[in-house]
Amino acid sequence: MEQEKRANGGNEGMDVRHVALLARLALTDEDAELFRGQMADIVGFVRKIGELNIEGIEPTTHAHRVENVFREDEPAPGLDRATALANAPEQAQGLFLTPRIVE
Amino acid sequence: MTYEARIGLEVHVQLKTRSKMFCACSAEFGDEPNTRVCPVCLGYPGAMPAMNREAVELTALTGLMVGAQVAPLSVFARKSYFYPDMPKNYQISQYDRPLCIGGAVAIEWEGREKLVGLTRIHLEEDVGKSSHFGTSSGVDFNRAGIPLMEIVTEPVLTAPEEADAFLQALRQMVRYAGVSDGNMERGNIRCDANCSVRLRGETALGAKTEIKNLNTFKGVLAALRYEIRRQQDVLAAGGRVAMETRRWDGETGTTASMRSKEEAHDYRYFPEPDLMPVAMAPEQLAALQARIPELPRARRERFCRDYGLPAYDSEVLAADKAVADFFDETARVSDNPKAVSNWMMTEVLAKLAETGRTLAETPVAPRQLAELIALVDRGQINMPTAKSLFATMFDKGGDPVALVEQEGLAQVSSADDIGAWARQAVEENPKSVADYRSGKKAALQFLVGQVMRRSRGRAHPQKAAEALEELLKG
């Protein structure tokens, strides 16, 4: 119940503005209205699962019961720096440049 | 009114692996920026993580060392947030199914042993490193994806010094087991601290603040001292401590509230679909159990018991595993473990500090140090000669017995030789002789020095002093 309330942003409809902020999306009022309806629908679809009787069923995180998929600890070369930086909008001294991070 | 503090730590320990947590990029320190990167650690769309077995095992090994439960099933999760040093816009971490649960680290506190309870240990990836210029910031992703083990304590630490003792003990343990280099300068251990203050006698915890940006043990001490005082002042003035995240500023020596916008977190954890759960098999745990080395405390006790060392010596020697190993090997083949301890604590540690080298980087073998000590004990060389011989062995290598022969350093005890040097010293230093005879006994030391110089350091110092006293009597 707690979880459900959180998913709804505490309201009946999804808190679209909050979700947009978390996703760093700028929404117009019309966008917000459209998505509020669509996301409420999605939450409604998912809520359908709540009707199932899951008594005694172990929760799983994956569809397949596969465990322990490991890689051995062997280093291997990755990308050379020019390639790695090729898509950087801005770069200097081998670094990706971003607008100054507020500290 | 008296207050008491409650502190909990979240310690990030960089694991000692050769490659990163979810890709094969090298995890080595240093190198030019963005030269140890690939589509996975740069967060390219579609790139798939692959879990480093060694990182998982080192974390489980740590769990076993602290008596934690290694979870039968452990799951990785995505922690979503935006920050330029996080290329995927989520960090792969663990949420409700961490690798290790519970356990405790033993520390010395107020003269007694105290167990500091742990909440959990989980595994996650490090982020990139940013540096700041005028109007821009630069990001280096070499560090992004390096495996970090996060160790979370219960809020049971009562003072900044106790938090420090915990960190020291933890660092010693992970270094002993080869889980981490534990190198502070390289940021191998970083921590956040949760801190609250309450009136003594109250049972509920006070409102806590989380202090970020603690990159050195000294920083942890200073930040906690400041923050406890600050909270006490707020409470004493009748105020309430705000629950918030504060950033430690080492330069001003203060903590400051991080603006709420920076704090607006909603990580929306969910299971990482690209990584399968980890289930540690009993055989795997048994194999890890066998990897647990003798830990510092057991070693200190054994040094006292088996070699008859004072507690102080054992403490100094066991602090660093390489030093403790070297001592152990030397003492095992020596007849005089206490002398080995003295040599380790003075000459050896001094030389290491002076040259910045590690024992592995010096040519001296434990057997050779034991031989050097035996030469002194048998009176074949004197202490000053032994010290200069050790310096040669440390710098250039060589067997002490062979070096003594080659350089003719064997101690001279013959009365004839010493007598001759003593007579010369007396003849050439009439002023010291007069001083001595007029009661300045210290003048004898100068004359002994003259004998040592003439003998090129080989004369038996005690016998030289006796010969001089004999001469000066008449």
Side-chain angles (χ1 to χ4, degrees):
Chain A
M1 195 58 209
E2 254 317 293
Q3 223 159 2
E4 203 173 286
K5 251 167 88 181
R6 238 185 296 150
N8 286 335
N11 301 313
E12 261 316 294
M14 175 80 94
D15 186 346
V16 176
R17 291 286 175 194
H18 178 63
V19 175
L21 174 71
L22 291 173
R24 302 296 186 268
L25 294 175
L27 299 188
T28 64
D29 287 347
E30 294 85 68
D31 287 339
E33 206 41 55
L34 175 67
F35 293 138
R36 186 169 294 121
Q38 291 183 347
M39 293 179 88
D41 286 347
I42 294 170
V43 171
F45 302 149
V46 175
R47 191 169 287 147
K48 190 94 184 134
I49 296 172
E51 294 169 12
L52 294 173
N53 178 8
I54 52 167
E55 194 69 29
I57 297 179
E58 276 284 297
T60 54
T61 52
H62 293 73
H64 298 283
R65 192 90 213 207
V66 180
E67 287 152 3
N68 300 334
V69 182
F70 294 122
R71 171 180 63 80
E72 296 309 317
D73 183 25
E74 293 291 339
L79 299 172
D80 65 75
R81 184 155 77 179
T83 311
L85 288 165
N87 289 330
E90 276 190 86
Q91 52 169 290
Q93 297 161 42
L95 300 169
F96 290 86
L97 288 193
T98 73
R100 191 180 159 93
I101 303 167
V102 188
E103 283 283 334
Chain B
M1 280 189 289
T2 54
Y3 295 96
E4 60 183 14
R6 280 293 177 274
I7 300 160
L9 297 176
E10 294 170 13
V11 191
H12 293 91
V13 178
Q14 184 181 323
L15 296 172
K16 194 175 179 175
T17 57
R18 300 171 64 212
S19 64
K20 290 185 181 181
M21 183 66 225
F22 298 116
C23 62
C25 288
S26 168
E28 220 165 291
F29 179 79
D31 221 340
E32 292 293 305
N34 293 308
T35 52
R36 285 170 177 166
V37 291
C38 76
V40 174
C41 56
L42 285 176
Y44 284 13
M48 295 285 269
M51 204 184 300
N52 187 332
R53 179 195 302 273
E54 179 70 1
V56 173
E57 293 195 339
L58 290 176
T59 305
L61 176 64
T62 306
L64 293 177
M65 285 195 291
V66 299
Q69 186 211 358
V70 179
L73 194 76
S74 159
V75 173
F76 283 83
R78 292 186 180 181
K79 177 183 181 179
S80 299
Y81 66 93
F82 286 93
Y83 209 71
D85 61 13
M86 250 301 328
K88 292 192 294 293
N89 297 333
Y90 60 83
Q91 179 190 24
I92 303 179
S93 180
Q94 297 193 285
Y95 184 50
D96 55 352
R97 317 282 305 255
L99 203 49
C100 307
I101 300 153
V105 174
I107 64 166
E108 288 270 328
W109 177 241
E110 291 178 333
R112 280 182 296 135
E113 185 188 274
K114 175 172 171 177
L115 288 173
V116 178
L118 303 183
T119 310
R120 58 188 273 162
I121 305 176
H122 72 248
L123 190 49
E124 63 185 29
E125 56 177 342
D126 206 347
V127 298
K129 185 168 163 262
S130 40
S131 36
H132 308 288
F133 313 109
T135 56
S136 60
S137 295
V139 189
D140 170 13
F141 289 108
N142 282 352
R143 211 179 64 186
I146 283 182
L148 291 183
M149 162 173 79
E150 180 171 330
I151 299 171
V152 183
T153 76
E154 296 284 303
V156 292
L157 300 160
T158 56
E161 297 73 24
E162 191 184 355
D164 186 61
F166 171 80
L167 288 169
Q168 303 284 357
L170 183 69
R171 172 167 181 264
Q172 209 175 54
M173 186 185 70
V174 294
R175 283 167 58 110
Y176 253 72
V179 164
S180 172
D181 286 329
N183 185 321
M184 303 302 292
E185 288 79 47
R186 295 181 177 182
N188 288 170
I189 301 182
R190 284 169 272 155
C191 103
D192 299 332
N194 290 300
C195 174
S196 66
V197 163
R198 65 181 170 196
L199 272 177
R200 195 172 291 281
E202 269 176 37
T203 48
L205 290 174
K208 70 172 184 185
T209 60
E210 181 180 4
I211 315 166
K212 297 233 174 229
N213 199 30
L214 303 174
N215 299 329
T216 63
F217 288 5
K218 276 200 187 116
V220 174
L221 262 178
L224 285 171
R225 282 179 184 152
Y226 174 86
E227 182 61 15
I228 289 168
R229 170 124 306 269
R230 187 190 70 83
Q231 291 189 15
Q232 281 178 3
D233 289 348
V234 169
L235 294 176
R240 287 173 58 173
V241 173
M243 283 253 255
E244 60 184 355
T245 305
R246 299 179 69 88
R247 184 193 304 278
W248 169 245
D249 183 338
E251 281 181 23
T252 59
T254 57
T255 64
S257 178
M258 287 166 72
R259 281 171 304 157
S260 56
K261 197 176 152 199
E262 283 177 75
E263 266 194 281
H265 288 318
D266 185 349
Y267 293 129
R268 292 153 292 150
Y269 283 99
F270 67 94
E272 165 60 87
D274 294 338
L275 292 166
M276 291 319 205
V278 172
M280 284 287 199
E283 312 84 71
Q284 213 177 348
L285 290 180
L288 287 174
Q289 197 82 47
R291 268 172 79 175
I292 299 180
E294 182 185 37
L295 292 174
R297 200 190 127 142
R299 204 155 217 205
R300 285 197 295 272
E301 288 169 3
R302 184 168 57 80
F303 282 178
C304 290
R305 192 178 62 236
D306 291 4
Y307 299 126
L309 294 188
Y312 174 81
D313 291 40
S314 297
E315 175 111 28
V316 173
L317 294 171
D320 181 270
K321 180 162 187 291
V323 171
D325 286 346
F326 195 95
F327 166 77
D328 226 348
E329 279 184 58
T330 310
R332 210 170 287 150
V333 295
S334 172
D335 296 328
N336 192 348
K338 175 60 183 147
V340 176
S341 168
N342 292 345
W343 272 85
M344 292 295 300
M345 293 195 299
T346 54
E347 297 304 305
V348 178
L349 290 182
K351 268 284 184 188
L352 291 175
E354 181 190 314
T355 57
R357 283 147 79 187
T358 64
L359 277 164
E361 291 162 352
T362 73
V364 185
R367 179 186 51 78
Q368 294 173 325
L369 179 59
E371 278 170 13
L372 182 68
I373 291 166
L375 287 172
V376 178
D377 286 350
R378 289 198 297 262
Q380 286 171 278
I381 55 175
N382 60 32
M383 205 54 176
T385 302
K387 285 185 179 175
S388 80
L389 204 54
F390 176 74
T392 307
M393 289 160 61
F394 190 94
D395 293 333
K396 302 185 198 124
D399 251 11
V401 177
L403 285 170
V404 165
E405 266 176 42
Q406 276 164 32
E407 322 235 334
L409 293 173
Q411 179 159 272
V412 177
S413 303
S414 101
D416 288 353
D417 291 334
I418 290 182
W421 289 320
R423 274 191 297 281
Q424 277 181 18
V426 167
E427 275 163 28
E428 288 167 22
N429 297 285
K431 182 164 181 328
S432 296
V433 171
D435 284 352
Y436 179 79
R437 287 191 169 136
S438 69
K440 285 189 191 162
K441 297 295 170 200
L444 188 70
Q445 276 319 303
F446 175 79
L447 292 168
V448 171
Q450 293 303 305
V451 172
M452 296 309 289
R453 201 165 64 95
R454 281 179 179 73
S455 71
R456 291 190 297 118
R458 294 171 302 156
H460 192 295
Q462 189 56 37
K463 292 199 166 133
E466 284 163 16
L468 284 164
E469 277 173 339
E470 193 59 35
L471 277 175
L472 294 173
K473 247 199 278 177

